[in-house]
Amino acid sequence: MLRFLSNSKQSAPKGPAPTDASETTAAIAFADDGEVRGLSDLYSPEPTSQTHIRDVADVLMEMEKITDEQYGRLRRELMNRPDIDAATWLLKEGFVVAGDVLQAKAELGGMEFRQISPDQVDRDAFDKLDLAFIQRSSIVPIEIDEGVLVVGTSEPSNIFAVEDVKRQTEMDVRVVVCSPEDVAAICESFSASEEGPNDYNLDEIINDMTEVEVVQDEEDDSEDLESMAGQSPVIKFVNYLISNAVREGASDIHIEPKEAHTRVRYRIDGVLFDAMQAPTKMHPAIVSRIKIMASLDISERRLPQDGKVSAIIGGRAIDLRISTLPTNRGEKTVIRILDSSSIVRGLGHVGMESDVCAAFAEQVAMPHGILLVTGPTGSGKSTTLYSALVEMDGDRLNISTVEDPVEYELSFCNQVHVHESIGMTFAAALRSLLRQDPDVIMIGEIRDNETARIAVQAALTGHLVLSTLHTNDAASSVTRLVNIGIDPYLIAASLNAAVAQRLVRRICPKCTEPYKVPDRLRRYVEQSGANPGDLVHGAGCEACRGSGYSGRVGIFEMLVVDDKFRDIINQDTSVANMRRAFIESGRDSLFDDGMKKVRKGLTTVEEVLRVTEVYGQNEHEEFIENID
């Protein structure tokens, strides 16, 4: 045992007196045997526990949002990589959702977490700040409580924004935490009330358009479309088309020249609805205005053209993909609306059942092989692939995509845009990517032999390849690859899994009512194990335009290529044999997964049968009977 003495408090040990005055004030240590030891002999570092500062992970543990195992994994990850953010890591791993993290941050900062809808916001309080500042800072005034301005924010750590609010309003401020979706909804609601479609008199615009020629003004693509309402009637009409489509939740705008008028239709929840009509003679002016926005050649009307526009509508950044096609009555124009804020982040939100989601996540984590997502155009394949990429560690992996075109920009990967006119094809881009030391490659679509062959080679040489394929179901993807020209033994060696998906319309929550199943559909309901008396549907209301549906949800079937299935591929790759092998595997088909959504009250039997073409109303039952 060591004892520490100071000459001012204790007597010195036996021995010669110190000769240096400085030594008399130094601490002296000696052992029980009286032997003096120098200070250099005393330092023996021992592991000491650092003071732990309570963080978001601790709060999530207290809230029982994460398990002990998940908490332990996070702590080990933070020891190896102290630069990562705990909340970001938990979200990326899928252990929590964004709402849990915000609630934990609120608890950590001693703030209230609140869900806020636009009708709970006091207009006088909202007007205390400029709309642009609110959108930029993600901080929105909610109410004035006894002279204190209550603001909601999705970024509680942004103290500078709070100080800016105090400075601008000259009021005391109390902060509550809310979701970014709530902030966006409030901004959209209040901006819509100021600059919404009601400010447009459509009849007046159309009447004014008859006196207008083709507009050729050049504006900044990113300029807020709704702020240009005072300009020419053609511009106002096009702005109205786009802004109204965004508010209606449309995915596409179809502008079609007809004999008596120009027909405008919106695709909402996968179904086209008539929106409005315009004078036929103004069709060239409308198309020219759209071409100018997309920097296309307005003088070229004999060839198809494609372009892209970035716009701001209701405070939201929107990308528009423009496509023109010459027809016998003029150029038909289709505008696809891509809203970056609507991208699903993470596999937990794409609508997969828990078992399918778990199996899909396992495939995404594989080091090599091919993972295919199949289905027709507009079935959500790209969203599923983007969700798969989000699950990956972009910091440690070299992730690259080849797309035609790039739909959404992802910061954690390298995205390549295909330009076939200059020789930048899928195959050419893939050949270059393989020399870029990739770990993961996402191909927008496998559509020819060369692309498929390079994808197979990449999978066999240690790369994970994600891509889409146009087939009716998961099992048909094997036959499709054979038809493209890939040998069965190469497919068996490289294909890990195939997922088929469709999008079915959700039952409108505002007009849900009990539903009497028609006799012709009763057998499908009973076959799925559902009670016909428990089903619901949408009666139709103003909110859903009388359709009974609002929004969409995915249905999925997943084929996992195990050793048994590889042997079957090597023997017979016919569609019938592949479907038989899939059914024998015991996994749910698209129809089965759709009927699960029916039992949960998410959609209807008619909607499931509408999209599962391969399992039509009679074909599904007959096919199962033939297999048996």
Side-chain angles (χ1 to χ4, degrees):
M1 182 182 73
L2 294 178
R3 298 192 301 277
F4 292 84
L5 300 178
S6 171
N7 65 332
S8 62
K9 299 285 184 180
Q10 303 286 346
S11 59
K14 295 179 180 180
T19 57
D20 192 334
S22 64
E23 292 180 16
T24 62
T25 59
I28 302 175
F30 58 93
D32 290 337
D33 58 4
E35 180 183 355
V36 178
R37 297 181 178 175
L39 292 179
S40 62
D41 297 330
L42 297 179
Y43 181 67
S44 177
E46 298 179 358
T48 58
S49 59
Q50 296 182 350
T51 303
H52 175 67
I53 300 176
R54 186 167 178 257
D55 62 7
V56 170
D58 295 305
V59 179
L60 289 168
M61 272 285 290
E62 296 166 5
M63 294 167 57
E64 298 183 351
K65 297 296 185 181
I66 59 175
T67 64
D68 292 339
E69 180 184 356
Q70 293 167 345
Y71 182 85
R73 282 186 57 187
L74 169 63
R75 292 303 172 199
R76 290 191 294 272
E77 191 72 20
L78 288 173
M79 288 180 62
N80 296 328
R81 301 169 59 198
D83 58 317
I84 67 172
D85 179 68
T88 302
W89 187 88
L90 289 169
L91 285 168
K92 196 168 188 178
E93 292 295 317
F95 295 157
V96 294
V97 297
D100 295 336
V101 171
L102 278 174
Q103 194 170 349
K105 287 182 177 180
E107 173 69 21
L108 193 63
M111 291 179 265
E112 176 189 357
F113 179 79
R114 188 187 299 181
Q115 292 182 333
I116 309 168
S117 60
D119 56 1
Q120 296 174 319
V121 177
D122 177 45
R123 182 76 208 205
D124 291 336
F126 185 87
D127 289 340
K128 292 289 183 182
L129 294 175
D130 181 66
L131 177 62
F133 174 81
I134 294 172
Q135 293 168 338
R136 184 173 64 252
S137 307
S138 295
I139 188 166
V140 57
I142 302 171
E143 61 185 359
I144 300 175
D145 183 13
E146 298 182 353
V148 176
L149 181 64
V150 182
V151 297
T153 179
S154 58
E155 301 175 4
S157 60
N158 189 356
I159 59 175
F160 299 105
V162 177
E163 291 301 320
D164 281 343
V165 172
K166 292 179 181 179
R167 178 179 52 81
Q168 292 184 37
T169 61
E170 298 181 351
M171 298 178 66
D172 291 332
V173 174
R174 177 160 59 89
V175 179
V176 300
V177 181
C178 61
S179 70
E181 290 79 13
D182 288 348
V183 175
I186 293 168
C187 290
E188 184 174 355
S189 174
F190 280 84
S191 64
S193 64
E194 295 175 355
E195 306 179 84
N198 291 335
D199 288 342
Y200 291 98
N201 186 324
L202 186 58
D203 292 334
E204 180 180 334
I205 293 173
I206 292 175
N207 289 334
D208 291 342
M209 279 201 309
T210 59
E211 303 176 359
V212 177
E213 299 299 328
V214 176
V215 181
Q216 300 188 19
D217 298 329
E218 193 90 27
E219 282 94 11
D220 180 8
D221 288 343
S222 61
E223 186 177 350
D224 193 329
L225 295 177
E226 293 180 341
S227 68
M228 304 191 300
Q231 302 187 32
S232 77
V234 174
I235 294 177
K236 291 169 66 176
F237 180 76
V238 173
N239 296 344
Y240 175 81
L241 287 185
I242 298 172
S243 60
N244 189 54
V246 171
R247 287 195 175 89
E248 290 285 335
S251 61
D252 300 89
I253 305 171
H254 290 244
I255 304 171
E256 304 165 329
K258 302 297 179 183
E259 182 178 1
H261 58 267
T262 290
R263 183 187 191 189
V264 179
R265 294 190 291 173
Y266 292 160
R267 186 178 294 278
I268 303 175
D269 297 336
V271 178
L272 284 169
F273 293 89
D274 282 326
M276 62 197 74
Q277 296 178 357
T280 302
K281 68 176 183 178
M282 293 312 301
H283 183 80
I286 295 169
V287 174
S288 294
R289 168 59 191 161
I290 295 171
K291 283 183 176 181
I292 290 169
M293 294 170 62
S295 300
L296 301 179
D297 185 358
I298 63 172
S299 64
E300 180 56 75
R301 300 182 180 180
R302 301 165 301 170
L303 297 174
Q305 296 188 67
D306 297 295
K308 188 175 182 179
V309 180
S310 297
I312 301 172
I313 301 175
R316 295 155 57 189
I318 302 293
D319 287 331
L320 308 174
R321 276 170 46 190
I322 312 297
S323 174
T324 65
L325 177 68
T327 68
N328 62 327
R329 295 195 177 278
E331 292 179 281
K332 176 186 176 183
T333 303
V334 175
I335 303 174
R336 169 153 288 191
I337 301 170
L338 302 174
D339 185 357
S340 300
S341 64
S342 68
I343 297 180
V344 177
R345 293 296 185 183
L347 292 176
H349 301 276
V350 299
M352 293 180 178
E353 297 293 323
S354 57
D355 56 336
V356 178
C357 186
F360 190 82
E362 289 179 5
Q363 297 301 321
V364 171
M366 296 289 282
H368 54 78
I370 298 176
L371 173 60
L372 294 176
V373 180
T374 74
T377 301
S379 60
K381 301 187 298 297
S382 296
T383 299
T384 300
L385 284 179
Y386 280 125
S387 300
L389 294 178
V390 169
E391 297 292 319
M392 300 176 183
D393 189 346
D395 295 330
R396 294 187 176 184
L397 297 174
N398 180 11
I399 305 173
S400 300
T401 74
V402 184
E403 304 172 65
D404 182 22
V406 174
E407 293 192 10
Y408 301 103
E409 293 188 4
L410 304 176
S411 60
F412 57 85
C413 65
N414 308 293
Q415 296 174 275
V416 179
H417 187 134
V418 169
H419 291 280
E420 293 192 357
S421 60
I422 61 173
M424 187 61 165
T425 62
F426 277 107
L430 280 174
R431 279 194 295 268
S432 297
L433 277 182
L434 290 176
R435 294 190 289 269
Q436 294 277 318
D437 185 31
D439 296 301
V440 180
I441 301 173
M442 193 270 273
I443 307 171
E445 180 186 349
I446 293 178
R447 59 177 67 163
D448 55 47
N449 175 268
E450 191 176 11
T451 304
R453 180 170 49 81
I454 297 174
V456 169
Q457 290 174 352
L460 294 176
T461 53
H463 306 88
L464 180 63
V465 179
L466 284 65
S467 187
T468 68
L469 203 62
H470 287 287
T471 63
N472 286 329
D473 57 1
S476 299
S477 58
V478 175
T479 308
R480 173 64 176 153
L481 289 174
V482 172
N483 293 338
I484 289 177
I486 305 301
D487 294 326
Y489 75 92
L490 291 175
I491 299 173
S494 61
L495 184 62
N496 289 345
V499 178
Q501 70 177 77
R502 300 288 190 279
L503 293 176
V504 295
R505 291 181 291 174
R506 286 180 179 268
I507 296 173
C508 176
K510 296 186 177 180
C511 58
T512 303
E513 66 177 15
Y515 173 53
K516 183 179 179 181
V517 181
D519 293 338
R520 62 185 177 84
L521 302 179
R522 182 175 292 271
R523 64 181 183 276
Y524 297 111
V525 176
E526 295 172 346
Q527 177 185 333
S528 68
N531 182 356
D534 295 337
L535 302 187
V536 296
H537 76 153
C541 62
E542 184 177 350
C544 62
R545 298 165 298 280
S547 66
Y549 298 99
S550 178
R552 290 189 289 180
V553 63
I555 60 175
F556 304 85
E557 70 177 24
M558 183 166 185
L559 164 64
V560 177
V561 182
D562 53 16
D563 291 339
K564 181 180 179 181
F565 208 93
R566 296 184 200 281
D567 291 338
I568 296 173
I569 292 174
N570 284 320
Q571 294 170 10
D572 182 5
T573 58
S574 65
V575 174
N577 193 46
M578 293 296 98
R579 289 180 181 172
R580 182 182 297 106
F582 173 77
I583 292 173
E584 290 174 351
S585 70
R587 293 186 177 272
D588 288 336
S589 67
L590 284 168
F591 181 83
D592 297 329
D593 191 59
M595 293 307 295
K596 285 185 177 181
K597 304 284 194 300
V598 172
R599 293 200 298 272
K600 292 179 179 180
L602 297 177
T603 189
T604 62
V605 184
E606 294 92 336
E607 188 66 11
V608 172
L609 292 173
R610 180 181 69 85
V611 301
T612 54
E613 302 151 359
V614 71
Y615 305 111
Q617 294 185 15
N618 297 315
E619 294 176 11
H620 178 68
E621 190 172 83
E622 293 174 359
F623 183 74
I624 297 298
E625 291 176 354
N626 292 335
I627 293 297
D628 295 338

